[in-house]
Amino acid sequence: MKKPTLLPVMVLFALLSFSCSTDSLDETTNNANSSVVVPETKVIEIEILELINDYRLSVGLNPLNNMNLIKSQAYGHTDYMIDHNNVSHDNFFQRKNYLINNAGANAVSENVAYGFTSAESVVNAWLNSPGHKENIEGDFTDFDISAEKNDEGKWFYTNIFVKK
């Protein structure tokens, strides 16, 4: 195959690999989807999820379940923020639509952060910010997080919340 025709074929393949489906994926089918990258969970991520659930329970809310499909979207965005060296909600609607179409989500929200060195510090910062706290206290059923360090050792975080 000539190079000029290889690029359009690769682009088409990539688009089809990430296309939306009207069928929901459950946890068992996530692993079969080669486009879903779910890294091994880090201690800091477990601590953040536990702190958020402990807080939710302390204010009379249901604890949230973690879900690999959510983690894969959080991980992709955290890597994006590191690559651009910028904390943002860029491409949120792509993550949201992916989770609606593939995880059966009815609502999706996210918190992002940068630079906090412990689970306690990032969760406390989110709880002290009205918009982030609203997400933590929101009417959600599932969530997950990605925490990654850049080359300078600074942490970036993406925490996604889903209601099914």
Side-chain angles (χ1 to χ4, degrees):
M1 192 177 276
K2 294 186 242 174
K3 282 190 177 186
T5 57
L6 182 58
L7 181 59
V9 170
M10 294 302 292
V11 170
L12 180 60
F13 176 75
L15 287 173
L16 292 174
S17 296
F18 296 102
S19 68
C20 296
S21 168
T22 57
D23 296 329
S24 295
L25 293 177
D26 62 21
E27 288 294 310
T28 58
T29 59
N30 291 348
N31 298 330
N33 184 345
S34 61
S35 66
V36 174
V37 177
V38 183
E40 192 168 322
T41 303
K42 297 172 190 63
V43 171
I44 194 168
E45 293 168 335
I46 294 168
E47 292 171 346
I48 291 168
L49 297 175
E50 288 177 349
L51 287 168
I52 289 172
N53 269 339
D54 288 348
Y55 173 79
R56 285 179 62 87
L57 287 168
S58 77
V59 295
L61 299 169
N62 62 302
L64 304 176
N65 303 305
N66 23 338
M67 177 187 275
N68 281 342
L69 200 56
I70 298 170
K71 184 173 185 66
S72 74
Q73 293 298 296
Y75 174 71
H77 184 60
T78 302
D79 273 0
Y80 171 89
M81 292 191 302
I82 288 171
D83 288 347
H84 291 83
N85 197 32
N86 185 39
V87 178
S88 72
H89 293 284
D90 290 356
N91 307 310
F92 171 72
F93 289 103
Q94 290 174 349
R95 289 186 295 285
K96 178 181 177 180
N97 288 334
Y98 183 86
L99 292 167
I100 288 169
N101 291 314
N102 295 290
N106 294 315
V108 180
S109 193
E110 74 180 11
N111 288 343
V112 295
Y114 160 81
F116 296 95
T117 58
S118 70
E120 294 83 6
S121 64
V122 71
V123 172
N124 284 337
W126 283 333
L127 289 173
N128 287 316
S129 164
H132 294 100
K133 183 177 182 178
E134 184 178 327
N135 288 338
I136 290 173
E137 293 179 347
D139 183 19
F140 297 109
T141 56
D142 303 273
F143 73 154
D144 223 312
I145 190 158
S146 170
E148 301 292 330
K149 285 185 179 180
N150 68 6
D151 291 339
E152 299 162 0
K154 302 288 183 186
W155 285 100
F156 284 74
Y157 305 90
T158 303
N159 187 195
I160 300 177
F161 301 87
V162 165
K163 178 178 180 167
K164 290 173 76 175

